[in-house]
Amino acid sequence: MGDEWQEAYDYAVQVARKAGAEIRKAGESEIRVMTKSSTVDLVTKTDERVEKIIIGALKEKFGEGTHHFIGEESMAKGEPCILTNDPTWIIDPVDGTTNFVHGFPFVAVSIAFAVNKELEFGVIYSCLEDKMYKARKGMGAFCDEEQIYVSDVKDIKKSIIISEHGTDRSREKVSKIFSTMQKILCIPVHGLRGSGTAATNMCLVATGAVEAFFEIGIHCWDIAAGAVIVKEAGGLLMDVDGKPFDLMSRRMLSANNDIIAQRIIKEIEIFHVPRDDERQEI
Ligand code: LIP
């Protein structure tokens, strides 16, 4: 693809850093909390305001008509979540909203860019840590200009695995999530972790801090940028049943290698979640 999207990539980094500064500033004042799909699926005025800042900056730079936008908060208001062949920005303005509300120090701005349904680049700014992760297809993954690589661990018993419990609190799903976590913990692995933000979790895979992260229930905007960063750091992505990665499926396993990935898949108890691109009741 050459340098066709280099300007967009560089600009996405600038916009992510600006959005992160807005989040830090907002965190110093009263945060007004609202809810979406459940009482624990939180959203704040900051999520909505920062998404408007990001999309506004991108529209100003690249025009209103040609580029499309999939943003978490726009989707929450009922906009269709359909990935077409058009240049498309996939945005989570505040990944880790619950962390943001509680002052738990992992909150990320996640911006990805796809053309012809192929992810071209991803940018994740962990704004409370002030760490800028980025990757462009075929050009490596970086954290603050230092190239990053996944772990070389192949023995699951020497791994740390990340999973999250998400926002669904139905007993059926919670029991499957925790039964899966129990089986993985008792392999045994060195540890189970979760930062509370999928984007940050994927950066932890990409830096080799952990060997894998999987989750059922995330959305395309949580993982699109992280997918590029993990792949460009030498990792791999797949569906939680081992089939090919499907950005809109709301299921994802990212790992440092296939040995670790296949061992985890054996333990995952899968439950249904509607796809991001299925018609949803508003
Ligand atoms: C979060 C995801 C995380 C998931 C949380 C939440 P948000 O995204 O990044 O993986 O477990 O439930 O969905 O809502 O903070 O942007």
Side-chain angles (χ1 to χ4, degrees):
M1 187 60 78
D3 281 344
E4 185 175 1
W5 301 116
Q6 189 61 39
E7 184 192 15
Y9 180 46
D10 294 340
Y11 191 65
V13 171
Q14 290 175 45
V15 171
R17 196 175 295 280
K18 180 171 176 248
E22 285 294 323
I23 293 167
R24 284 196 298 267
K25 201 165 59 182
E28 293 156 13
S29 56
E30 185 57 35
I31 297 170
R32 204 171 128 242
V33 184
M34 299 164 283
T35 59
K36 291 190 291 191
S37 63
S38 74
T39 58
V40 296
D41 185 8
L42 308 184
V43 61
T44 71
K45 279 294 176 200
T46 305
D47 295 71
E48 294 168 348
R49 186 165 58 80
V50 169
E51 184 167 305
K52 285 198 178 80
I53 290 171
I54 294 170
I55 293 180
L58 294 172
K59 280 185 175 176
E60 190 183 341
K61 181 86 175 172
F62 300 107
E64 293 267 350
T66 51
H67 288 211
H68 288 216
F69 298 86
I70 294 176
E72 176 173 8
E73 307 319 328
S74 321
M75 299 304 112
K77 291 186 164 62
E79 287 190 24
C81 186
I82 307 292
L83 187 60
T84 68
N85 289 333
D86 294 334
T88 303
W89 296 88
I90 306 168
I91 299 160
D92 188 342
V94 183
D95 190 41
T97 298
T98 302
N99 291 351
F100 172 61
V101 168
H102 287 266
F104 189 75
F106 297 103
V107 179
V109 179
S110 182
I111 300 175
F113 183 66
V115 182
N116 297 325
K117 297 180 183 167
E118 283 282 318
L119 290 167
E120 283 298 328
F121 60 74
V123 172
I124 295 173
Y125 182 44
S126 179
C127 59
L128 303 187
E129 294 180 285
D130 189 21
K131 286 185 176 179
M132 182 66 75
Y133 297 91
K134 64 184 184 181
R136 207 180 145 193
K137 189 165 73 172
M139 300 173 81
F142 299 85
C143 176
D144 294 337
E145 305 315 318
E146 184 185 339
Q147 190 150 8
I148 55 178
Y149 301 92
V150 295
S151 153
D152 58 6
V153 167
K154 292 183 176 62
D155 180 353
I156 188 86
K157 292 181 180 178
K158 294 184 177 139
S159 71
I160 291 182
I161 307 301
I162 290 187
S163 186
E164 299 277 350
H165 50 66
T167 51
D168 190 308
R169 293 292 188 272
S170 67
R171 285 194 180 282
E172 178 240 345
K173 290 181 181 164
V174 169
S175 65
K176 283 182 184 281
I177 289 167
F178 281 91
S179 169
T180 298
M181 287 184 180
Q182 182 182 3
K183 289 191 287 180
I184 289 173
L185 193 58
C186 297
I187 287 176
V189 296
H190 276 178
L192 280 181
R193 300 287 188 275
S195 73
T197 128
T200 304
N201 291 336
M202 295 179 90
C203 291
L204 290 167
V205 174
T207 61
V210 303
E211 277 63 47
F213 160 54
F214 69 94
E215 187 171 355
I216 300 173
I218 31 87
H219 293 279
C220 61
W221 47 80
D222 294 317
I223 61 170
V228 187
I229 292 169
V230 166
K231 271 182 78 175
E232 288 301 317
L236 50 82
L237 295 125
M238 58 182 73
D239 194 336
V240 291
D241 59 4
K243 292 193 177 79
F245 172 60
D246 175 350
L247 179 63
M248 308 305 271
S249 68
R250 296 188 60 201
R251 320 175 345 168
M252 181 279 307
L253 166 65
S254 54
N256 61 331
N257 58 54
D258 195 52
I259 297 167
I260 294 284
Q262 295 304 325
R263 182 63 188 83
I264 293 169
I265 282 170
K266 285 184 184 159
E267 312 298 353
I268 298 177
E269 294 185 28
I270 294 175
F271 53 87
H272 174 74
V273 289
R275 295 173 55 88
D276 276 325
D277 51 8
E278 279 175 7
R279 274 213 60 74
Q280 289 136 5
E281 291 314 307
I282 300 169

